[in-house]
C-alpha cells in the first residue's frame, strides 16, 4: 500500500513465471565455463556447499584445467586447496569438452576473461567481450534444450542483454534464460 501511495506500481502477490519448464526444474548439474580467478573458486565452493550437484568446469586453456587437477591450484585463496581436494573427483570435474558440459548442465555460469580492447574504439579502456560472445554462440549451437546462463565475471553493464540476443533463435537452437551475477571478488575472499 505504501508503494502505491508513492506512485510506484504494486507488484503482484505472485510474480509471473517467465522461465520455460525445462530450465525451471531443480538442477542436478551445473557448468562453469572459465577456470580462472572467478570460475575456479566459484566452482569449488558450489561443489562444496551443494554436494548433491554435479559441477563441471571447462576452459579453452588446457593448462588451467590441468592446474586445477594438480596438487597446486592456479589460484591462491586461503583454504581453497583443502576444499578442492575434498570435492575434486567427487562432485567437481574438470574437462576440455565444452559441448558435453553444455548438454549435461541445466545452469551454466560463464566466467571467461574480459581483457581490455587492444584495438579500435575504446582500445586500452573498454572491455573486450569477444570471449563472452564466442561462448554464447557455442552454447546456442550445442544446447538442444533451454538452459539458464549466468554471467559470472567482471563485465560491462548490459552484457547479459548481448548474451540474451545470442541465446535465442535464429542464432541459438532454443531460447535460454540469461541472468547476471557479476563478480566482485577481492583477493583472498572468494571462500
Amino acid at each position: 500500500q505504501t508503494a502505491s501511495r508513492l506512485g510506484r506500481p504494486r507488484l503482484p502477490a505472485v510474480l509471473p513465471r517467465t522461465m520455460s519448464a525445462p530450465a525451471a526444474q531443480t538442477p542436478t548439474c551445473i557448468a562453469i565455463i572459465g577456470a580462472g580467478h572467478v570460475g575456479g573458486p566459484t566452482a569449488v565452493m558450489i561443489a562444496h556447499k551443494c554436494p548433491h550437484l554435479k559441477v563441471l568446469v571447462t576452459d579453452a586453456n588446457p593448462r588451467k584445467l590441468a592446474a586445477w587437477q594438480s596438487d597446486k591450484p592456479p589460484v591462491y585463496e586461503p583454504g581453497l586447496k583443502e576444499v578442492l581436494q575434498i570435492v575434486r573427483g567427487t562432485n567437481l570435474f574438470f574437462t576440455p569438452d565444452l559441448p558435453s558440459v553444455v548438454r549435461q548442465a541445466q545452469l551454466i555460469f560463464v566466467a571467461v576473461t574480459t581483457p581490455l580492447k587492444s584495438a579500435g574504439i575504446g582500445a586500452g579502456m573498454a572491455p573486450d567481450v569477444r570471449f563472452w560472445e564466442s561462448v554464447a554462440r557455442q552454447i546456442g549451437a550445442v544446447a538442444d534444450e533451454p538452459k539458464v546462463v549466468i554471467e559470472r565475471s567482471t563485465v560491462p553493464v548490459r552484457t547479459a542483454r548481448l548474451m540474451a540476443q545470442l541465446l535465442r533463435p535464429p542464432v541459438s537452437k532454443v531460447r535460454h534464460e540469461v541472468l547476471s551475477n557479476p563478480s566482485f571478488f577481492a583477493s583472498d575472499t572468494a571462500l
Side-chain angles (χ1 to χ4, degrees), residues 8-191:
R8 291 186 223 138
R10 265 194 192 161
L11 292 175
V14 177
L15 295 174
R17 185 171 156 196
T18 59
M19 293 177 62
S20 55
Q25 296 172 353
T26 301
T28 57
C29 182
I30 291 179
I32 310 279
I33 300 174
H37 287 83
V38 173
T42 298
V44 171
M45 288 313 299
I46 289 173
H48 180 64
K49 296 292 185 179
C50 305
H52 60 286
L53 292 175
K54 181 178 184 181
V55 180
L56 302 173
V57 182
T58 189
D59 196 286
N61 183 342
R63 288 180 296 164
K64 278 188 191 175
L65 296 173
W68 281 105
Q69 295 178 81
S70 74
D71 289 333
K72 189 173 184 218
V75 174
Y76 175 77
E77 290 287 339
L80 179 67
K81 181 178 177 180
E82 293 77 16
V83 176
L84 175 62
Q85 290 173 343
I86 294 167
V87 296
R88 185 178 50 215
T90 304
N91 68 323
L92 176 64
F93 305 93
F94 297 89
T95 176
D97 190 354
L98 186 134
S100 175
V101 166
V102 168
R103 285 188 198 101
Q104 290 181 62
Q106 294 86 36
L107 295 175
I108 302 171
F109 287 83
V110 180
V112 296
T113 187
T114 51
L116 291 179
K117 290 175 76 174
S118 58
I121 296 172
M125 296 179 289
D128 181 349
V129 294
R130 66 188 153 134
F131 299 111
W132 282 87
E133 184 176 339
S134 174
V135 166
R137 289 181 186 282
Q138 290 176 67
I139 293 169
V142 171
D144 293 321
E145 60 186 38
K147 309 288 183 178
V148 176
V149 180
I150 302 135
E151 64 173 2
R152 179 79 181 129
S153 192
T154 306
V155 293
V157 174
R158 295 192 184 96
T159 301
R161 183 179 295 164
L162 169 64
M163 287 187 79
Q165 291 170 350
L166 295 171
L167 289 169
R168 66 177 151 215
V171 180
S172 178
K173 292 180 188 178
V174 295
R175 184 183 171 144
H176 306 280
E177 296 294 328
V178 178
L179 305 175
S180 180
N181 180 228
S183 171
F184 298 104
F185 286 148
S187 183
D188 298 341
T189 65
L191 300 188

